[in-house]
Amino acid sequence: MSNRFMSKHSQKFTCQIYFFLYLIFFLCLLSPLNVSASGPAASKINNPSNDLWISVRHNTESGKVTSQVKSVDSTVLINPQADRWTRFRMTQLINYGLFILSVVAVVIMLFYLFRGRIKLEEGLSGIMVHRFTDYERILHWMLAIVFIFLAGTGLILLFGRPLLIPVLGHEFFSVLASASKEGHNLFGPIFFVSLLLMLFRFVRRNIYAKGDLTWLLKGGGLIGKSHVTGGFFNMGEKTWYWIVILTGLAISVSGLVLVLPNFGQGRVIMELSHVVHGIAAIILVSVSFGHIYLATKGTEGTLESMKTGYVDIKWAEEHHDRWAKECHDNDRLISAEDYAKLQGRVVLDQNVSASPLMEETK
Amino acid sequence: MARMKFYCDAERCIECNACVTACKNENEVPWGVNRRRVVTINDGVPGERSLSVACMHCSDAPCATVCPVDCFYTTDDGVVLHDKDICIGCGYCFYACPFGAPQFPEDGAFASRGKMDKCTFCAGGPEEDNSADEYQKYGSNRLAEGKLPLCAEMCSTKSLLAGDANVVADIFRKRVVKRGASVLNKGVSYQNASLRASSVGKDK
């Protein structure tokens, strides 16, 4: 009885062993190493003619390759990277790019629906403090306008064929795409210049400092209601700055490689540049959605800083407590009346007193 | 309906570049543009091979796949053509093509790209056949006249073949069979050819 049981048990055991052996065997078959391992090297027929065309196929010819046509890459018979680039653009950049941008847009919309506008807890006080100089604001808006234009034209070129051609038709879309291409090429270098000016102007205030980690751990105030600490720029703004600078530089350099074909760069360099350009641009555009939302609709009082250069002291206290304290200490607060004068809104109130003054100056 | 193909026989091409010249002359291509080029591999050493290359008129053309304005089309004869009125000169077809067929005339400052130009298999463009407009944009339309591309038609060694894929393949098959026989018969016509490869290696 027990013997029978044992044999049954051992049968089952051997079955299991065979199963595992088979499994290992199949795994070996599946392994890519197998291709070189199983092919017996001794039986390989030496075939220089075949080898020649295989090397041409992979662009690895060892001998001298010449052509009477003297242009860049004219001696490259087959560029094996071309197919990889095609697949990257058609199956990854367009699909994932559209997916990422849509997801970011939807997330921001949902955030707005559920959280709403982040209002100042104590409301606006009317007491202002100077935040950005004219130069900084002009620089910001120059970069912003050029960026929005480049992002728009770039997205038209990237997604136009699947999204716009069915709506606009080939002829009209061609005109739009041509204008987009020319505009993109023309304004690209301006973006680069603005970006460099931005880099030099703001780099000192955007170096990560003590307290930034706390900001990150508290989720930047987006989660919950508690206030988070921040200097002139808080951690989120600093990160946005570095995303702009790093992806912006990658986009600018790769863009210049693409737009100026007269430095003799080959197709492979241009394909790589396009990959860098596309990935960096998708990152920058999707993060810019967040920046644009938070700076306009998302938080109360933020847009003022880039419109007038002044912010409400309550806004500073709630979002940039350490900087607000600095302002208090250095006595940089501007009263509502002084601020109104600065903004040229005094004319209505002081019309009477202003006119004799004007006559006097005459 | 045919399926048009080029075939360049590397055992016959003598790098005379007449196909390049003929193409340039027949189609009046813009300055700096060569729709066809001859490339020589292992130049100057035994086993040197030359190939004449232009657009391959791919069945599933990557240039047509990546074109952001969708300006490519394939004719009933299997010739890949493009519409220069739609083309914006972005250069994506140039990145996508493994053979370097799409060419760009310089247009404006900083060598910016004009509208793409490439081999049309001497089949013109979307305009009316053999119209002045078509000739100015795409060159001659020999196919509409019942002729084959000039590069292949005037090839002195009949290395470059153009025409229906079945016919071209048939001609090439016959050549290969004859060559194989000559090699087996200790022919001397081509060193380093596949069947003699191992013996050449041993001689050294």
Side-chain angles (χ1 to χ4, degrees):
Chain A
M1 189 77 183
S2 68
N3 198 14
R4 207 177 144 204
F5 173 77
M6 279 299 285
S7 71
K8 205 178 172 187
H9 189 262
S10 65
Q11 256 179 10
K12 207 176 165 190
F13 185 67
T14 40
C15 267
Q16 277 178 342
I17 286 180
Y18 275 121
F19 176 73
F20 275 113
L21 282 176
Y22 274 123
L23 199 69
I24 289 164
F25 177 69
F26 275 113
L27 281 176
C28 284
L29 280 182
L30 286 173
S31 154
L33 286 170
N34 186 53
V35 178
S36 55
S38 73
S43 71
K44 193 192 167 212
I45 300 161
N46 187 25
N47 190 332
S49 180
N50 241 3
D51 292 346
L52 177 77
W53 299 118
I54 288 170
S55 67
V56 166
R57 169 67 184 86
H58 298 287
N59 195 22
T60 53
E61 303 98 322
S62 51
K64 196 173 152 200
V65 186
T66 58
S67 177
Q68 292 305 309
V69 172
K70 305 291 180 203
S71 60
V72 180
D73 278 353
S74 69
T75 56
V76 177
L77 275 169
I78 294 178
N79 168 21
Q81 303 304 323
D83 188 43
R84 292 181 66 184
W85 176 82
T86 304
R87 273 182 284 133
F88 165 74
R89 182 173 188 274
M90 302 315 292
T91 63
Q92 289 168 301
L93 186 60
I94 290 181
N95 296 354
Y96 295 146
L98 198 59
F99 177 74
I100 291 168
L101 293 179
S102 325
V103 164
V104 170
V106 167
V107 164
I108 290 172
M109 250 186 282
L110 288 177
F111 181 79
Y112 178 66
L113 284 177
F114 286 104
R115 178 75 198 261
R117 192 165 199 216
I118 299 171
K119 289 222 164 88
L120 293 176
E121 263 172 34
E122 296 175 36
L124 295 170
S125 66
I127 297 166
M128 306 301 274
V129 59
H130 187 240
R131 185 160 169 84
F132 292 119
T133 64
D134 290 352
Y135 171 73
E136 287 163 351
R137 273 155 49 225
I138 290 167
L139 191 57
H140 171 265
W141 287 115
M142 183 161 114
L143 191 69
I145 289 164
V146 173
F147 168 73
I148 288 167
F149 176 78
L150 290 172
T153 52
L155 294 178
I156 285 172
L157 289 171
L158 184 58
F159 301 123
R161 183 164 165 181
L163 298 184
L164 294 180
I165 288 182
V167 184
L168 302 174
H170 282 86
E171 279 78 16
F172 183 73
F173 179 71
S174 169
V175 175
L176 180 66
S178 184
S180 298
K181 176 212 148 194
E182 299 296 339
H184 202 82
N185 290 354
L186 198 63
F187 282 90
I190 299 175
F191 175 80
F192 188 35
V193 173
S194 324
L195 188 78
L196 288 179
L197 295 175
M198 198 77 165
L199 169 66
F200 297 134
R201 185 70 187 185
F202 288 102
V203 67
R204 227 156 32 89
R205 279 171 274 176
N206 276 292
I207 292 165
Y208 289 107
K210 222 172 71 183
D212 286 341
L213 198 63
T214 330
W215 186 95
L216 186 67
L217 292 173
K218 286 189 176 179
L222 292 177
I223 307 152
K225 294 265 176 191
S226 66
H227 278 299
V228 286
T229 175
F232 186 90
F233 287 126
N234 64 34
M235 199 260 182
E237 287 167 324
K238 285 178 185 175
T239 306
W240 162 239
Y241 172 84
W242 288 112
I243 288 172
V244 171
I245 296 297
L246 294 179
T247 59
L249 284 177
I251 290 168
S252 303
V253 172
S254 57
L256 288 173
V257 171
L258 292 168
V259 80
L260 301 170
N262 45 351
F263 289 107
Q265 65 271 43
R267 275 175 283 163
V268 175
I269 301 284
M270 289 193 178
E271 284 152 7
L272 282 175
S273 299
H274 181 273
V275 171
V276 171
H277 202 79
I279 294 174
I282 293 290
I283 294 172
L284 184 55
V285 172
S286 51
V287 182
S288 81
F289 286 174
H291 171 74
I292 293 168
Y293 167 74
L294 284 175
T296 53
K297 197 80 188 155
T299 48
E300 189 183 8
T302 308
L303 193 59
E304 281 303 299
S305 64
M306 273 302 161
K307 263 161 75 180
T308 61
Y310 295 85
V311 287
D312 201 282
I313 189 65
K314 289 289 172 214
W315 179 88
E317 280 164 4
E318 289 188 18
H319 294 291
H320 303 270
D321 52 350
R322 276 177 283 142
W323 177 66
K325 191 174 175 296
E326 227 173 83
C327 294
H328 275 295
D329 294 347
N330 297 331
D331 202 20
R332 291 216 299 262
L333 305 189
I334 301 160
S335 70
E337 297 84 53
D338 288 346
Y339 179 67
K341 272 186 206 161
L342 274 170
Q343 292 299 304
R345 277 193 254 125
V346 279
V347 189
L348 277 174
D349 307 336
Q350 299 178 343
N351 244 348
V352 190
S353 59
S355 45
L357 262 171
M358 283 182 60
E359 270 165 37
E360 246 174 61
T361 47
K362 274 178 190 172
Chain B
M1 230 178 287
R3 183 85 189 80
M4 290 301 180
K5 283 291 170 207
F6 281 121
Y7 193 92
C8 183
D9 191 341
E11 304 300 335
R12 282 181 174 232
C13 181
I14 56 169
E15 199 200 351
C16 68
N17 276 290
C19 48
V20 179
T21 315
C23 172
K24 245 182 134 47
N25 192 53
E26 178 72 5
N27 296 307
E28 296 286 351
V29 290
W31 182 251
V33 168
N34 284 288
R35 290 181 176 180
R36 180 169 280 290
R37 67 189 196 278
V38 177
V39 179
T40 306
I41 312 148
N42 291 334
D43 196 5
V45 296
E48 170 188 304
R49 291 287 180 277
S50 293
L51 269 183
S52 176
V53 207
C55 174
M56 296 288 188
H57 299 281
C58 305
S59 307
D60 182 11
C63 51
T65 306
V66 298
C67 179
V69 291
D70 195 15
C71 79
F72 289 88
Y73 62 100
T74 305
T75 67
D76 292 341
D77 292 329
V79 178
V80 177
L81 297 178
H82 70 296
D83 188 339
K84 283 194 182 183
D85 294 339
I86 302 285
C87 173
I88 60 170
C90 65
Y92 287 180
C93 49
F94 173 69
Y95 308 149
C97 177
F99 311 110
Q103 307 277 306
F104 293 87
E106 283 188 15
D107 177 42
F110 305 114
S112 70
R113 299 184 182 103
K115 292 185 186 296
M116 190 272 274
D117 190 271
K118 75 167 188 69
C119 161
T120 63
F121 208 86
C122 284
E127 272 79 5
E128 196 193 327
D129 285 346
N130 292 315
S131 61
D133 210 20
E134 185 191 50
Y135 184 78
Q136 191 253 323
K137 284 179 194 163
Y138 307 96
S140 76
N141 189 345
R142 291 170 56 89
L143 238 56
E145 297 168 351
K147 300 169 186 165
L148 285 167
L150 191 64
C151 52
E153 288 293 90
M154 48 60 60
C155 177
S156 58
T157 60
K158 286 284 162 270
S159 157
L160 187 61
L161 303 173
D164 182 18
N166 290 334
V167 180
V168 170
D170 223 32
I171 294 170
F172 190 66
R173 192 181 301 115
K174 279 175 192 155
R175 285 184 188 177
V176 169
V177 169
K178 279 198 173 173
R179 272 181 211 149
S182 83
V183 169
L184 286 174
N185 205 18
K186 304 256 186 269
V188 288
S189 60
Y190 63 130
Q191 288 182 317
N192 295 344
S194 52
L195 285 166
R196 288 195 57 178
S198 47
S199 63
V200 169
K202 274 172 200 160
D203 289 347
K204 285 173 188 171

